[in-house]
Amino acid sequence: MMKYIVILLTFTLLVGCIDSNDKTLQSNRPIADDTENWDDIVEEKIKRFGHRNWIVVVDEAYPLQSSLGITMLRSPLGQIETLKKVMSILNEQKHVKPIIYLDKEIDYVNENAAKGITAYRDSLMGIFDKSNLNKVMHDDIISMLSKTSDQFNVLVIKTNLNIPYTSVFFQLDCKYWNDVAEKQLRDKISESI
């Protein structure tokens, strides 16, 4: 009996010593209440991220997901300004480049249903090269994120935008290696076996 009491007491003390604000244990909670340095946090995350990590810039209604691999941060800027800052940080990196996904639904939302959608779509084209955009149904992208967050980290940056289907998804890829080089490598390996 005494053995069980000692084990219970030890467990209780260990649990009590865990910092409830430890972000490594609660990665699906906001990592900063103070949004003043949000871009520094994004830059630091991107420097640690590699291919297969994701960054997502979302509207205000985007839900807080429960997966431990997903961290949410709030930007004090509008969505377009946030996207520009994220792209600027990504462009400075030597190790990763983004594969960009938009919700396919964005092309079908009309101005009468969502005031401001036309200007938003036009603004996106000012940030991104149209040929580099992949449009996928929103639920399919969310499924991709869910699967990814089981193994890899995802940073969600929430903005105050109130227009539906305006999320922008950046799947990070290796900047210094490409599909052609990978195929050549795999072919060479296959030939040697």
Side-chain angles (χ1 to χ4, degrees):
M1 181 70 168
M2 184 62 146
K3 180 178 173 181
Y4 295 113
I5 293 173
V6 170
I7 291 171
L8 181 62
L9 183 59
T10 303
F11 177 75
T12 304
L13 286 173
L14 285 174
V15 170
C17 290
I18 295 174
D19 181 2
S20 63
N21 292 319
D22 185 348
K23 304 309 182 238
T24 61
L25 295 176
Q26 301 174 353
S27 62
N28 64 333
R29 293 190 181 194
I31 57 175
D33 293 330
D34 178 13
T35 58
E36 188 174 302
N37 64 344
W38 75 276
D39 51 340
D40 292 334
I41 296 167
V42 171
E43 186 169 3
E44 184 57 37
K45 283 269 191 193
I46 290 173
K47 286 179 180 177
R48 287 188 276 150
F49 278 6
H51 75 289
R52 298 186 181 151
N53 290 119
W54 287 67
I55 299 165
V56 187
V57 178
V58 299
D59 63 273
E60 199 157 33
Y62 192 88
L64 178 61
Q65 293 171 274
S66 60
S67 174
L68 289 178
I70 297 177
T71 302
M72 186 170 279
L73 174 66
R74 189 172 248 310
S75 169
L77 304 178
Q79 186 145 338
I80 294 298
E81 293 80 14
T82 299
L83 287 168
K84 287 178 181 176
K85 185 62 181 175
V86 169
M87 279 302 295
S88 172
I89 294 169
L90 283 169
N91 288 335
E92 293 171 2
Q93 304 309 305
K94 294 179 181 170
H95 67 298
V96 290
K97 63 182 178 183
I99 300 169
I100 304 166
Y101 295 92
L102 300 178
D103 295 326
K104 187 176 190 95
E105 292 90 339
I106 194 170
D107 290 336
Y108 301 93
V109 176
N110 67 46
E111 192 69 29
N112 292 335
K115 188 163 179 55
I117 189 69
T118 305
Y120 178 78
R121 281 191 296 251
D122 292 344
S123 295
L124 284 181
M125 294 309 110
I127 300 171
F128 305 120
D129 176 6
K130 192 174 185 177
S131 65
N132 191 30
L133 294 176
N134 303 286
K135 293 184 180 172
V136 178
M137 297 298 284
H138 183 77
D139 286 344
D140 294 338
I141 299 176
I142 297 301
S143 293
M144 290 167 50
L145 274 184
S146 180
K147 289 176 188 171
T148 297
S149 66
D150 289 342
Q151 295 181 338
F152 304 102
N153 285 298
V154 175
L155 175 62
V156 177
I157 305 168
K158 195 168 192 173
T159 69
N160 63 356
L161 185 66
N162 288 300
I163 301 174
Y165 298 108
T166 53
S167 300
V168 178
F169 302 82
F170 299 93
Q171 179 185 19
L172 300 185
D173 198 10
C174 185
K175 195 171 198 173
Y176 53 83
W177 192 249
N178 60 41
D179 292 339
V180 173
E182 183 67 22
K183 183 177 180 339
Q184 291 171 347
L185 174 69
R186 296 296 159 196
D187 289 347
K188 192 172 185 177
I189 292 170
S190 293
E191 291 169 7
S192 69
I193 297 177

PDB file of all heavy atoms in Angstrom, residues 139-174:
ATOM      1  N   ASP A 139     -12.193  21.015 -48.381  1.00  0.00           N
ATOM      2  CA  ASP A 139     -12.189  19.829 -47.525  1.00  0.00           C
ATOM      3  C   ASP A 139     -11.030  18.893 -47.841  1.00  0.00           C
ATOM      4  O   ASP A 139     -10.489  18.245 -46.939  1.00  0.00           O
ATOM      5  CB  ASP A 139     -13.519  19.071 -47.631  1.00  0.00           C
ATOM      6  CG  ASP A 139     -14.645  19.785 -46.901  1.00  0.00           C
ATOM      7  OD1 ASP A 139     -14.359  20.689 -46.075  1.00  0.00           O
ATOM      8  OD2 ASP A 139     -15.821  19.447 -47.143  1.00  0.00           O
ATOM      9  N   ASP A 140     -10.625  18.829 -49.102  1.00  0.00           N
ATOM     10  CA  ASP A 140      -9.484  17.992 -49.481  1.00  0.00           C
ATOM     11  C   ASP A 140      -8.173  18.544 -48.920  1.00  0.00           C
ATOM     12  O   ASP A 140      -7.319  17.787 -48.473  1.00  0.00           O
ATOM     13  CB  ASP A 140      -9.392  17.851 -51.006  1.00  0.00           C
ATOM     14  CG  ASP A 140     -10.563  17.078 -51.590  1.00  0.00           C
ATOM     15  OD1 ASP A 140     -11.211  16.298 -50.845  1.00  0.00           O
ATOM     16  OD2 ASP A 140     -10.841  17.244 -52.789  1.00  0.00           O
ATOM     17  N   ILE A 141      -8.034  19.866 -48.936  1.00  0.00           N
ATOM     18  CA  ILE A 141      -6.823  20.470 -48.365  1.00  0.00           C
ATOM     19  C   ILE A 141      -6.796  20.257 -46.850  1.00  0.00           C
ATOM     20  O   ILE A 141      -5.752  19.950 -46.277  1.00  0.00           O
ATOM     21  CB  ILE A 141      -6.719  21.976 -48.685  1.00  0.00           C
ATOM     22  CG1 ILE A 141      -6.645  22.200 -50.189  1.00  0.00           C
ATOM     23  CG2 ILE A 141      -5.481  22.580 -48.025  1.00  0.00           C
ATOM     24  CD1 ILE A 141      -6.634  23.661 -50.599  1.00  0.00           C
ATOM     25  N   ILE A 142      -7.937  20.399 -46.201  1.00  0.00           N
ATOM     26  CA  ILE A 142      -8.004  20.182 -44.754  1.00  0.00           C
ATOM     27  C   ILE A 142      -7.625  18.735 -44.431  1.00  0.00           C
ATOM     28  O   ILE A 142      -6.910  18.475 -43.456  1.00  0.00           O
ATOM     29  CB  ILE A 142      -9.410  20.532 -44.204  1.00  0.00           C
ATOM     30  CG1 ILE A 142      -9.717  22.022 -44.419  1.00  0.00           C
ATOM     31  CG2 ILE A 142      -9.538  20.159 -42.731  1.00  0.00           C
ATOM     32  CD1 ILE A 142      -8.735  22.977 -43.766  1.00  0.00           C
ATOM     33  N   SER A 143      -8.066  17.792 -45.249  1.00  0.00           N
ATOM     34  CA  SER A 143      -7.677  16.387 -45.056  1.00  0.00           C
ATOM     35  C   SER A 143      -6.171  16.209 -45.207  1.00  0.00           C
ATOM     36  O   SER A 143      -5.545  15.475 -44.440  1.00  0.00           O
ATOM     37  CB  SER A 143      -8.398  15.478 -46.049  1.00  0.00           C
ATOM     38  OG  SER A 143      -9.772  15.444 -45.780  1.00  0.00           O
ATOM     39  N   MET A 144      -5.586  16.891 -46.194  1.00  0.00           N
ATOM     40  CA  MET A 144      -4.137  16.828 -46.383  1.00  0.00           C
ATOM     41  C   MET A 144      -3.419  17.363 -45.149  1.00  0.00           C
ATOM     42  O   MET A 144      -2.443  16.771 -44.680  1.00  0.00           O
ATOM     43  CB  MET A 144      -3.730  17.634 -47.625  1.00  0.00           C
ATOM     44  CG  MET A 144      -4.154  17.011 -48.935  1.00  0.00           C
ATOM     45  SD  MET A 144      -4.036  18.097 -50.408  1.00  0.00           S
ATOM     46  CE  MET A 144      -2.411  18.779 -50.338  1.00  0.00           C
ATOM     47  N   LEU A 145      -3.911  18.475 -44.616  1.00  0.00           N
ATOM     48  CA  LEU A 145      -3.300  19.058 -43.415  1.00  0.00           C
ATOM     49  C   LEU A 145      -3.421  18.127 -42.222  1.00  0.00           C
ATOM     50  O   LEU A 145      -2.489  17.983 -41.436  1.00  0.00           O
ATOM     51  CB  LEU A 145      -3.981  20.384 -43.065  1.00  0.00           C
ATOM     52  CG  LEU A 145      -3.495  21.642 -43.724  1.00  0.00           C
ATOM     53  CD1 LEU A 145      -4.241  22.841 -43.172  1.00  0.00           C
ATOM     54  CD2 LEU A 145      -2.021  21.827 -43.577  1.00  0.00           C
ATOM     55  N   SER A 146      -4.582  17.524 -42.084  1.00  0.00           N
ATOM     56  CA  SER A 146      -4.818  16.621 -40.965  1.00  0.00           C
ATOM     57  C   SER A 146      -3.837  15.451 -40.998  1.00  0.00           C
ATOM     58  O   SER A 146      -3.233  15.098 -39.979  1.00  0.00           O
ATOM     59  CB  SER A 146      -6.255  16.111 -41.009  1.00  0.00           C
ATOM     60  OG  SER A 146      -6.497  15.253 -39.935  1.00  0.00           O
ATOM     61  N   LYS A 147      -3.655  14.868 -42.164  1.00  0.00           N
ATOM     62  CA  LYS A 147      -2.709  13.752 -42.308  1.00  0.00           C
ATOM     63  C   LYS A 147      -1.279  14.219 -42.057  1.00  0.00           C
ATOM     64  O   LYS A 147      -0.499  13.545 -41.398  1.00  0.00           O
ATOM     65  CB  LYS A 147      -2.822  13.129 -43.699  1.00  0.00           C
ATOM     66  CG  LYS A 147      -4.090  12.349 -43.904  1.00  0.00           C
ATOM     67  CD  LYS A 147      -4.188  11.826 -45.326  1.00  0.00           C
ATOM     68  CE  LYS A 147      -5.563  11.214 -45.560  1.00  0.00           C
ATOM     69  NZ  LYS A 147      -5.804  10.893 -46.957  1.00  0.00           N
ATOM     70  N   THR A 148      -0.948  15.377 -42.599  1.00  0.00           N
ATOM     71  CA  THR A 148       0.401  15.918 -42.445  1.00  0.00           C
ATOM     72  C   THR A 148       0.721  16.187 -40.986  1.00  0.00           C
ATOM     73  O   THR A 148       1.813  15.890 -40.511  1.00  0.00           O
ATOM     74  CB  THR A 148       0.544  17.232 -43.253  1.00  0.00           C
ATOM     75  OG1 THR A 148       0.365  16.929 -44.633  1.00  0.00           O
ATOM     76  CG2 THR A 148       1.896  17.871 -43.047  1.00  0.00           C
ATOM     77  N   SER A 149      -0.235  16.746 -40.254  1.00  0.00           N
ATOM     78  CA  SER A 149       0.028  17.161 -38.874  1.00  0.00           C
ATOM     79  C   SER A 149       0.222  15.979 -37.929  1.00  0.00           C
ATOM     80  O   SER A 149       0.632  16.165 -36.790  1.00  0.00           O
ATOM     81  CB  SER A 149      -1.081  18.075 -38.366  1.00  0.00           C
ATOM     82  OG  SER A 149      -2.299  17.378 -38.271  1.00  0.00           O
ATOM     83  N   ASP A 150      -0.062  14.764 -38.397  1.00  0.00           N
ATOM     84  CA  ASP A 150       0.243  13.583 -37.588  1.00  0.00           C
ATOM     85  C   ASP A 150       1.750  13.374 -37.475  1.00  0.00           C
ATOM     86  O   ASP A 150       2.223  12.803 -36.503  1.00  0.00           O
ATOM     87  CB  ASP A 150      -0.392  12.324 -38.194  1.00  0.00           C
ATOM     88  CG  ASP A 150      -1.903  12.299 -38.036  1.00  0.00           C
ATOM     89  OD1 ASP A 150      -2.428  13.050 -37.184  1.00  0.00           O
ATOM     90  OD2 ASP A 150      -2.555  11.538 -38.771  1.00  0.00           O
ATOM     91  N   GLN A 151       2.495  13.814 -38.500  1.00  0.00           N
ATOM     92  CA  GLN A 151       3.944  13.598 -38.522  1.00  0.00           C
ATOM     93  C   GLN A 151       4.762  14.881 -38.573  1.00  0.00           C
ATOM     94  O   GLN A 151       5.919  14.892 -38.159  1.00  0.00           O
ATOM     95  CB  GLN A 151       4.331  12.752 -39.737  1.00  0.00           C
ATOM     96  CG  GLN A 151       3.790  11.358 -39.702  1.00  0.00           C
ATOM     97  CD  GLN A 151       4.243  10.564 -40.926  1.00  0.00           C
ATOM     98  OE1 GLN A 151       4.603  11.122 -41.944  1.00  0.00           O
ATOM     99  NE2 GLN A 151       4.224   9.258 -40.802  1.00  0.00           N
ATOM    100  N   PHE A 152       4.184  15.933 -39.128  1.00  0.00           N
ATOM    101  CA  PHE A 152       4.941  17.160 -39.359  1.00  0.00           C
ATOM    102  C   PHE A 152       4.191  18.367 -38.810  1.00  0.00           C
ATOM    103  O   PHE A 152       2.978  18.337 -38.671  1.00  0.00           O
ATOM    104  CB  PHE A 152       5.190  17.351 -40.867  1.00  0.00           C
ATOM    105  CG  PHE A 152       5.878  16.184 -41.508  1.00  0.00           C
ATOM    106  CD1 PHE A 152       5.152  15.264 -42.256  1.00  0.00           C
ATOM    107  CD2 PHE A 152       7.237  15.983 -41.350  1.00  0.00           C
ATOM    108  CE1 PHE A 152       5.769  14.178 -42.844  1.00  0.00           C
ATOM    109  CE2 PHE A 152       7.871  14.900 -41.929  1.00  0.00           C
ATOM    110  CZ  PHE A 152       7.135  13.985 -42.679  1.00  0.00           C
ATOM    111  N   ASN A 153       4.929  19.434 -38.537  1.00  0.00           N
ATOM    112  CA  ASN A 153       4.325  20.647 -37.976  1.00  0.00           C
ATOM    113  C   ASN A 153       3.665  21.515 -39.029  1.00  0.00           C
ATOM    114  O   ASN A 153       4.151  21.628 -40.155  1.00  0.00           O
ATOM    115  CB  ASN A 153       5.377  21.468 -37.234  1.00  0.00           C
ATOM    116  CG  ASN A 153       5.729  20.846 -35.911  1.00  0.00           C
ATOM    117  OD1 ASN A 153       4.874  20.713 -35.047  1.00  0.00           O
ATOM    118  ND2 ASN A 153       6.972  20.448 -35.758  1.00  0.00           N
ATOM    119  N   VAL A 154       2.562  22.128 -38.614  1.00  0.00           N
ATOM    120  CA  VAL A 154       1.802  23.052 -39.450  1.00  0.00           C
ATOM    121  C   VAL A 154       1.618  24.334 -38.642  1.00  0.00           C
ATOM    122  O   VAL A 154       1.216  24.280 -37.482  1.00  0.00           O
ATOM    123  CB  VAL A 154       0.418  22.464 -39.811  1.00  0.00           C
ATOM    124  CG1 VAL A 154      -0.414  23.486 -40.571  1.00  0.00           C
ATOM    125  CG2 VAL A 154       0.557  21.169 -40.597  1.00  0.00           C
ATOM    126  N   LEU A 155       1.926  25.477 -39.248  1.00  0.00           N
ATOM    127  CA  LEU A 155       1.703  26.767 -38.608  1.00  0.00           C
ATOM    128  C   LEU A 155       0.520  27.433 -39.291  1.00  0.00           C
ATOM    129  O   LEU A 155       0.537  27.655 -40.500  1.00  0.00           O
ATOM    130  CB  LEU A 155       2.942  27.661 -38.737  1.00  0.00           C
ATOM    131  CG  LEU A 155       2.781  29.092 -38.206  1.00  0.00           C
ATOM    132  CD1 LEU A 155       2.484  29.100 -36.710  1.00  0.00           C
ATOM    133  CD2 LEU A 155       4.019  29.915 -38.520  1.00  0.00           C
ATOM    134  N   VAL A 156      -0.528  27.723 -38.527  1.00  0.00           N
ATOM    135  CA  VAL A 156      -1.707  28.411 -39.032  1.00  0.00           C
ATOM    136  C   VAL A 156      -1.661  29.847 -38.523  1.00  0.00           C
ATOM    137  O   VAL A 156      -1.553  30.076 -37.320  1.00  0.00           O
ATOM    138  CB  VAL A 156      -3.014  27.716 -38.571  1.00  0.00           C
ATOM    139  CG1 VAL A 156      -4.227  28.501 -39.046  1.00  0.00           C
ATOM    140  CG2 VAL A 156      -3.064  26.283 -39.059  1.00  0.00           C
ATOM    141  N   ILE A 157      -1.711  30.798 -39.447  1.00  0.00           N
ATOM    142  CA  ILE A 157      -1.699  32.220 -39.093  1.00  0.00           C
ATOM    143  C   ILE A 157      -3.086  32.772 -39.387  1.00  0.00           C
ATOM    144  O   ILE A 157      -3.524  32.832 -40.530  1.00  0.00           O
ATOM    145  CB  ILE A 157      -0.640  32.987 -39.904  1.00  0.00           C
ATOM    146  CG1 ILE A 157       0.735  32.334 -39.723  1.00  0.00           C
ATOM    147  CG2 ILE A 157      -0.625  34.459 -39.487  1.00  0.00           C
ATOM    148  CD1 ILE A 157       1.776  32.834 -40.701  1.00  0.00           C
ATOM    149  N   LYS A 158      -3.770  33.156 -38.326  1.00  0.00           N
ATOM    150  CA  LYS A 158      -5.153  33.619 -38.432  1.00  0.00           C
ATOM    151  C   LYS A 158      -5.184  35.143 -38.594  1.00  0.00           C
ATOM    152  O   LYS A 158      -4.486  35.855 -37.885  1.00  0.00           O
ATOM    153  CB  LYS A 158      -5.928  33.190 -37.195  1.00  0.00           C
ATOM    154  CG  LYS A 158      -7.417  33.285 -37.333  1.00  0.00           C
ATOM    155  CD  LYS A 158      -8.088  32.561 -36.168  1.00  0.00           C
ATOM    156  CE  LYS A 158      -9.552  32.393 -36.445  1.00  0.00           C
ATOM    157  NZ  LYS A 158     -10.217  31.567 -35.464  1.00  0.00           N
ATOM    158  N   THR A 159      -6.017  35.610 -39.517  1.00  0.00           N
ATOM    159  CA  THR A 159      -6.185  37.051 -39.726  1.00  0.00           C
ATOM    160  C   THR A 159      -7.628  37.442 -39.413  1.00  0.00           C
ATOM    161  O   THR A 159      -8.456  36.591 -39.105  1.00  0.00           O
ATOM    162  CB  THR A 159      -5.853  37.443 -41.186  1.00  0.00           C
ATOM    163  OG1 THR A 159      -6.863  36.911 -42.051  1.00  0.00           O
ATOM    164  CG2 THR A 159      -4.479  36.938 -41.602  1.00  0.00           C
ATOM    165  N   ASN A 160      -7.927  38.726 -39.550  1.00  0.00           N
ATOM    166  CA  ASN A 160      -9.281  39.210 -39.247  1.00  0.00           C
ATOM    167  C   ASN A 160     -10.186  39.263 -40.483  1.00  0.00           C
ATOM    168  O   ASN A 160     -11.261  39.850 -40.435  1.00  0.00           O
ATOM    169  CB  ASN A 160      -9.217  40.585 -38.590  1.00  0.00           C
ATOM    170  CG  ASN A 160      -8.623  41.636 -39.510  1.00  0.00           C
ATOM    171  OD1 ASN A 160      -8.189  41.351 -40.616  1.00  0.00           O
ATOM    172  ND2 ASN A 160      -8.588  42.870 -39.032  1.00  0.00           N
ATOM    173  N   LEU A 161      -9.780  38.632 -41.590  1.00  0.00           N
ATOM    174  CA  LEU A 161     -10.580  38.641 -42.808  1.00  0.00           C
ATOM    175  C   LEU A 161     -11.880  37.864 -42.602  1.00  0.00           C
ATOM    176  O   LEU A 161     -11.877  36.805 -41.986  1.00  0.00           O
ATOM    177  CB  LEU A 161      -9.785  38.015 -43.967  1.00  0.00           C
ATOM    178  CG  LEU A 161     -10.461  38.055 -45.331  1.00  0.00           C
ATOM    179  CD1 LEU A 161     -10.613  39.494 -45.829  1.00  0.00           C
ATOM    180  CD2 LEU A 161      -9.669  37.231 -46.333  1.00  0.00           C
ATOM    181  N   ASN A 162     -12.977  38.402 -43.122  1.00  0.00           N
ATOM    182  CA  ASN A 162     -14.285  37.770 -42.982  1.00  0.00           C
ATOM    183  C   ASN A 162     -14.905  37.475 -44.350  1.00  0.00           C
ATOM    184  O   ASN A 162     -16.032  37.864 -44.641  1.00  0.00           O
ATOM    185  CB  ASN A 162     -15.226  38.649 -42.156  1.00  0.00           C
ATOM    186  CG  ASN A 162     -14.851  38.657 -40.696  1.00  0.00           C
ATOM    187  OD1 ASN A 162     -14.844  37.611 -40.055  1.00  0.00           O
ATOM    188  ND2 ASN A 162     -14.496  39.810 -40.180  1.00  0.00           N
ATOM    189  N   ILE A 163     -14.140  36.787 -45.194  1.00  0.00           N
ATOM    190  CA  ILE A 163     -14.615  36.357 -46.508  1.00  0.00           C
ATOM    191  C   ILE A 163     -14.332  34.857 -46.591  1.00  0.00           C
ATOM    192  O   ILE A 163     -13.218  34.417 -46.285  1.00  0.00           O
ATOM    193  CB  ILE A 163     -13.895  37.115 -47.647  1.00  0.00           C
ATOM    194  CG1 ILE A 163     -14.119  38.631 -47.507  1.00  0.00           C
ATOM    195  CG2 ILE A 163     -14.375  36.623 -49.010  1.00  0.00           C
ATOM    196  CD1 ILE A 163     -13.331  39.461 -48.501  1.00  0.00           C
ATOM    197  N   PRO A 164     -15.311  34.063 -47.031  1.00  0.00           N
ATOM    198  CA  PRO A 164     -15.122  32.599 -47.046  1.00  0.00           C
ATOM    199  C   PRO A 164     -14.187  32.135 -48.165  1.00  0.00           C
ATOM    200  O   PRO A 164     -14.021  32.818 -49.179  1.00  0.00           O
ATOM    201  CB  PRO A 164     -16.541  32.074 -47.281  1.00  0.00           C
ATOM    202  CG  PRO A 164     -17.228  33.158 -48.050  1.00  0.00           C
ATOM    203  CD  PRO A 164     -16.648  34.435 -47.507  1.00  0.00           C
ATOM    204  N   TYR A 165     -13.607  30.978 -47.940  1.00  0.00           N
ATOM    205  CA  TYR A 165     -12.745  30.289 -48.911  1.00  0.00           C
ATOM    206  C   TYR A 165     -11.564  31.138 -49.358  1.00  0.00           C
ATOM    207  O   TYR A 165     -11.201  31.169 -50.523  1.00  0.00           O
ATOM    208  CB  TYR A 165     -13.576  29.789 -50.103  1.00  0.00           C
ATOM    209  CG  TYR A 165     -14.606  28.792 -49.659  1.00  0.00           C
ATOM    210  CD1 TYR A 165     -15.963  29.124 -49.637  1.00  0.00           C
ATOM    211  CD2 TYR A 165     -14.222  27.528 -49.235  1.00  0.00           C
ATOM    212  CE1 TYR A 165     -16.906  28.211 -49.193  1.00  0.00           C
ATOM    213  CE2 TYR A 165     -15.157  26.600 -48.791  1.00  0.00           C
ATOM    214  CZ  TYR A 165     -16.495  26.953 -48.777  1.00  0.00           C
ATOM    215  OH  TYR A 165     -17.421  26.041 -48.331  1.00  0.00           O
ATOM    216  N   THR A 166     -10.953  31.803 -48.404  1.00  0.00           N
ATOM    217  CA  THR A 166      -9.822  32.676 -48.709  1.00  0.00           C
ATOM    218  C   THR A 166      -8.521  32.176 -48.079  1.00  0.00           C
ATOM    219  O   THR A 166      -7.519  32.889 -48.102  1.00  0.00           O
ATOM    220  CB  THR A 166     -10.115  34.105 -48.215  1.00  0.00           C
ATOM    221  OG1 THR A 166     -10.498  34.057 -46.835  1.00  0.00           O
ATOM    222  CG2 THR A 166     -11.222  34.760 -49.035  1.00  0.00           C
ATOM    223  N   SER A 167      -8.526  30.975 -47.556  1.00  0.00           N
ATOM    224  CA  SER A 167      -7.309  30.426 -46.959  1.00  0.00           C
ATOM    225  C   SER A 167      -6.252  30.208 -48.030  1.00  0.00           C
ATOM    226  O   SER A 167      -6.559  29.834 -49.158  1.00  0.00           O
ATOM    227  CB  SER A 167      -7.608  29.086 -46.279  1.00  0.00           C
ATOM    228  OG  SER A 167      -8.573  29.248 -45.270  1.00  0.00           O
ATOM    229  N   VAL A 168      -5.005  30.458 -47.659  1.00  0.00           N
ATOM    230  CA  VAL A 168      -3.870  30.206 -48.554  1.00  0.00           C
ATOM    231  C   VAL A 168      -2.948  29.226 -47.831  1.00  0.00           C
ATOM    232  O   VAL A 168      -2.541  29.461 -46.698  1.00  0.00           O
ATOM    233  CB  VAL A 168      -3.122  31.504 -48.912  1.00  0.00           C
ATOM    234  CG1 VAL A 168      -1.930  31.202 -49.808  1.00  0.00           C
ATOM    235  CG2 VAL A 168      -4.074  32.496 -49.584  1.00  0.00           C
ATOM    236  N   PHE A 169      -2.640  28.135 -48.517  1.00  0.00           N
ATOM    237  CA  PHE A 169      -1.874  27.034 -47.939  1.00  0.00           C
ATOM    238  C   PHE A 169      -0.503  26.965 -48.611  1.00  0.00           C
ATOM    239  O   PHE A 169      -0.422  26.867 -49.837  1.00  0.00           O
ATOM    240  CB  PHE A 169      -2.609  25.716 -48.155  1.00  0.00           C
ATOM    241  CG  PHE A 169      -3.999  25.692 -47.577  1.00  0.00           C
ATOM    242  CD1 PHE A 169      -5.065  26.252 -48.265  1.00  0.00           C
ATOM    243  CD2 PHE A 169      -4.235  25.103 -46.341  1.00  0.00           C
ATOM    244  CE1 PHE A 169      -6.348  26.228 -47.738  1.00  0.00           C
ATOM    245  CE2 PHE A 169      -5.512  25.080 -45.809  1.00  0.00           C
ATOM    246  CZ  PHE A 169      -6.567  25.642 -46.498  1.00  0.00           C
ATOM    247  N   PHE A 170       0.548  27.011 -47.811  1.00  0.00           N
ATOM    248  CA  PHE A 170       1.910  26.901 -48.320  1.00  0.00           C
ATOM    249  C   PHE A 170       2.477  25.551 -47.865  1.00  0.00           C
ATOM    250  O   PHE A 170       2.787  25.372 -46.693  1.00  0.00           O
ATOM    251  CB  PHE A 170       2.797  28.010 -47.749  1.00  0.00           C
ATOM    252  CG  PHE A 170       2.357  29.407 -48.080  1.00  0.00           C
ATOM    253  CD1 PHE A 170       1.539  30.109 -47.209  1.00  0.00           C
ATOM    254  CD2 PHE A 170       2.769  30.013 -49.251  1.00  0.00           C
ATOM    255  CE1 PHE A 170       1.142  31.409 -47.493  1.00  0.00           C
ATOM    256  CE2 PHE A 170       2.373  31.311 -49.542  1.00  0.00           C
ATOM    257  CZ  PHE A 170       1.560  32.009 -48.670  1.00  0.00           C
ATOM    258  N   GLN A 171       2.598  24.632 -48.794  1.00  0.00           N
ATOM    259  CA  GLN A 171       3.268  23.364 -48.495  1.00  0.00           C
ATOM    260  C   GLN A 171       4.742  23.593 -48.791  1.00  0.00           C
ATOM    261  O   GLN A 171       5.108  23.954 -49.913  1.00  0.00           O
ATOM    262  CB  GLN A 171       2.715  22.240 -49.357  1.00  0.00           C
ATOM    263  CG  GLN A 171       3.383  20.916 -49.094  1.00  0.00           C
ATOM    264  CD  GLN A 171       2.892  19.833 -50.048  1.00  0.00           C
ATOM    265  OE1 GLN A 171       2.340  20.119 -51.104  1.00  0.00           O
ATOM    266  NE2 GLN A 171       3.102  18.604 -49.665  1.00  0.00           N
ATOM    267  N   LEU A 172       5.595  23.425 -47.801  1.00  0.00           N
ATOM    268  CA  LEU A 172       7.002  23.709 -48.011  1.00  0.00           C
ATOM    269  C   LEU A 172       7.680  22.544 -48.726  1.00  0.00           C
ATOM    270  O   LEU A 172       7.423  21.375 -48.438  1.00  0.00           O
ATOM    271  CB  LEU A 172       7.692  24.005 -46.682  1.00  0.00           C
ATOM    272  CG  LEU A 172       7.121  25.197 -45.906  1.00  0.00           C
ATOM    273  CD1 LEU A 172       7.952  25.485 -44.675  1.00  0.00           C
ATOM    274  CD2 LEU A 172       7.008  26.436 -46.778  1.00  0.00           C
ATOM    275  N   ASP A 173       8.540  22.907 -49.652  1.00  0.00           N
ATOM    276  CA  ASP A 173       9.285  21.940 -50.441  1.00  0.00           C
ATOM    277  C   ASP A 173      10.759  22.328 -50.374  1.00  0.00           C
ATOM    278  O   ASP A 173      11.093  23.478 -50.052  1.00  0.00           O
ATOM    279  CB  ASP A 173       8.777  21.962 -51.889  1.00  0.00           C
ATOM    280  CG  ASP A 173       9.172  20.734 -52.684  1.00  0.00           C
ATOM    281  OD1 ASP A 173       9.669  19.762 -52.090  1.00  0.00           O
ATOM    282  OD2 ASP A 173       8.984  20.753 -53.914  1.00  0.00           O
ATOM    283  N   CYS A 174      11.620  21.400 -50.696  1.00  0.00           N
ATOM    284  CA  CYS A 174      13.058  21.654 -50.658  1.00  0.00           C
ATOM    285  C   CYS A 174      13.448  22.600 -51.793  1.00  0.00           C
ATOM    286  O   CYS A 174      13.103  22.369 -52.946  1.00  0.00           O
ATOM    287  CB  CYS A 174      13.806  20.327 -50.785  1.00  0.00           C
ATOM    288  SG  CYS A 174      15.580  20.518 -50.603  1.00  0.00           S
TER     289      CYS A 174
END
